[in-house]
Amino acid sequence: MLRNVLITAGSRRVPLVQGFQRALSQSAHGGVVVVTDVNPMSPAVYAADRSFRVGLSRDPDYIDQILAIAVGEGVGLVVPTIDDELETFGRARERFAERGIVVAVSRPETTALCDDKFATCGELASRGVAAAQSWLPESLPAQPPFPLFVKPRRGRGGVGAYRIRHERDLAFFLDYVDGPIVQEYLNGPEFTIDVLCDFAGRPLSIVPRRRDVIRAGVIDRGCTVNDPALIALAQACTTALPFFGAINIQCRVVDGTPVVFEINPRFSGGIPLTIEAGADFPRMLVDLAAGRAVAPAIGQFRDRLWMTNYEASVFLEDGRVDLPEYQPARAVGAVA
């Protein structure tokens, strides 16, 4: 029986917290959402039912901290949310499984590959999936096909990504960007494809979203698009690589053909649109973790549903700005 859900690195992921709260409230046994974070000012801390301060994902005892909280708080499902921790959680899945806890994360080999944008595109292309042509700086052709795109080989949120128009820009940004790769410039509309896979790697839901306005690497305005070509691309990606849980595929459509430029094996920032369109990833994950069968529902969502975002704020009296460390002696039992 699934008990509670733990979401790591809660940060600004209030809609994701709320999505799991709704999913648990609709389940037969109920449950609460626990959030961990390093920062007491993170808004998701105050949206969750319970929250605790932990160290950074690179700390040697990070997994020990999360496991202690998960066991003490009666957690049955852990949802990692940031790139930095995915490979670590992938390696620790069996430790959690021994305590009856499911971690919604892909294998460490998959997360490591997706963390490397050059390796991702190379692997997809080798398996017949349309992926952006990519080069390391030392392997660029003598006369590169401008325009190009330079970005960190390992990065997120669009940070350090630049369109390159000519040789002078290329030389500057190859020196300016830390650990760069070069990709062909994909001139076409941009899409994120949200995908949920079960724990055997089978895709259960695929929802393409057009990204009309992007802010800080996350969709600000856009809509769902029930496009067979985009859905087929996502299916090809899940055949090429084993994924478990939520992933998001970034692509552009060039001359009618969708081309992948990166994959993030985690929930996307635009997941509220996918959930609102009827593809309830949190509810499906809750069911999977509880051992209930979930039938594939590929293409079953509201087409052309638009989302336009705005900022919301949490207001706190000075004394409430607190995120306690987990104290096992004060642990709250599992929710029945």
Side-chain angles (χ1 to χ4, degrees), residues 228-294:
L230 291 167
I231 292 174
L233 176 70
Q235 290 173 316
C237 289
T238 62
T239 299
L241 297 171
F243 293 107
F244 308 140
I247 71 170
N248 65 90
I249 300 166
Q250 306 290 318
C251 66
R252 285 182 179 267
V253 175
V254 181
D255 297 328
T257 300
V259 181
V260 177
F261 58 85
E262 65 182 68
I263 299 178
N264 304 298
R266 55 166 170 75
F267 274 101
S268 67
I271 195 64
L273 175 54
T274 288
I275 296 172
E276 186 64 26
D280 194 341
F281 284 19
R283 180 62 185 271
M284 286 186 272
L285 267 180
V286 164
D287 286 342
L288 287 171
R292 292 188 285 269
V294 178

Side-chain angles (χ1 to χ4, degrees), residues 205-228:
S205 182
I206 299 174
V207 181
R209 300 181 283 102
R210 196 176 71 216
R211 287 155 54 99
D212 286 27
V213 177
I214 301 167
R215 188 172 300 179
V218 177
I219 183 174
D220 189 70
R221 298 170 194 172
C223 67
T224 57
V225 180
N226 200 332
D227 185 316

Side-chain angles (χ1 to χ4, degrees), residues 181-204:
I181 65 165
V182 182
Q183 289 187 328
E184 63 175 314
Y185 181 76
L186 302 174
N187 188 19
E190 184 173 342
F191 292 82
T192 292
I193 311 174
D194 285 322
V195 182
L196 184 73
C197 294
D198 65 16
F199 302 129
R202 177 182 61 161
L204 300 176

Side-chain angles (χ1 to χ4, degrees), residues 10-15 17-18 39-48 51 310-318 320-322:
S11 189
R12 295 165 56 89
R13 298 172 180 84
V14 173
V17 171
Q18 294 170 334
N39 191 341
M41 293 300 293
S42 294
V45 164
Y46 302 96
S51 301
Y310 67 97
E311 292 291 333
S313 302
V314 175
F315 300 97
L316 306 165
E317 298 294 338
D318 188 57
R320 278 205 65 202
V321 180
D322 183 38

Side-chain angles (χ1 to χ4, degrees), residues 23-310:
L24 289 169
S25 71
Q26 295 164 5
S27 68
H29 301 286
V32 300
V33 174
V34 181
V35 159
T36 57
D37 207 292
V38 300
N39 191 341
M41 293 300 293
S42 294
V45 164
Y46 302 96
D49 299 291
R50 294 196 285 272
S51 301
F52 299 99
R53 184 172 69 247
V54 294
L56 296 170
S57 61
R58 63 174 175 267
D59 292 350
D61 64 342
Y62 179 70
I63 290 295
D64 292 337
Q65 294 179 62
I66 299 297
L67 182 57
I69 294 170
V71 171
E73 293 293 302
V75 165
L77 172 65
V78 174
V79 182
T81 68
I82 58 172
D83 299 326
D84 299 346
E85 65 184 9
L86 297 179
E87 187 177 352
T88 303
F89 271 109
R91 292 195 300 267
R93 284 176 65 194
E94 290 305 316
R95 287 187 62 192
F96 286 84
E98 289 169 0
R99 307 302 295 267
I101 301 166
V102 175
V103 182
V105 70
S106 297
R107 295 172 183 168
E109 298 84 3
T110 300
T111 57
L113 181 75
C114 292
D115 190 47
D116 183 335
K117 295 175 175 56
F118 177 75
T120 301
C121 289
E123 181 68 17
L124 291 175
S126 73
R127 295 177 177 270
V129 180
Q133 188 171 7
S134 306
W135 301 270
L136 297 178
E138 60 271 19
S139 63
L140 271 170
Q143 296 190 354
F146 294 103
L148 295 166
F149 213 70
V150 169
K151 62 184 180 182
R153 185 171 179 175
R154 293 175 171 85
R156 61 183 178 182
V159 176
Y162 301 96
R163 184 181 180 183
I164 306 300
R165 293 176 173 81
H166 43 66
E167 196 76 47
R168 185 179 66 244
D169 285 351
L170 180 61
F172 173 82
F173 282 108
L174 284 178
D175 180 64
Y176 182 74
V177 175
D178 186 30
I181 65 165
V182 182
Q183 289 187 328
E184 63 175 314
Y185 181 76
L186 302 174
N187 188 19
E190 184 173 342
F191 292 82
T192 292
I193 311 174
D194 285 322
V195 182
L196 184 73
C197 294
D198 65 16
F199 302 129
R202 177 182 61 161
L204 300 176
S205 182
I206 299 174
V207 181
R209 300 181 283 102
R210 196 176 71 216
R211 287 155 54 99
D212 286 27
V213 177
I214 301 167
R215 188 172 300 179
V218 177
I219 183 174
D220 189 70
R221 298 170 194 172
C223 67
T224 57
V225 180
N226 200 332
D227 185 316
L230 291 167
I231 292 174
L233 176 70
Q235 290 173 316
C237 289
T238 62
T239 299
L241 297 171
F243 293 107
F244 308 140
I247 71 170
N248 65 90
I249 300 166
Q250 306 290 318
C251 66
R252 285 182 179 267
V253 175
V254 181
D255 297 328
T257 300
V259 181
V260 177
F261 58 85
E262 65 182 68
I263 299 178
N264 304 298
R266 55 166 170 75
F267 274 101
S268 67
I271 195 64
L273 175 54
T274 288
I275 296 172
E276 186 64 26
D280 194 341
F281 284 19
R283 180 62 185 271
M284 286 186 272
L285 267 180
V286 164
D287 286 342
L288 287 171
R292 292 188 285 269
V294 178
I298 308 298
Q300 297 179 27
F301 59 90
R302 291 168 62 191
D303 190 22
R304 307 294 296 180
L305 178 67
W306 283 84
M307 177 175 73
T308 178
N309 276 329
Y310 67 97

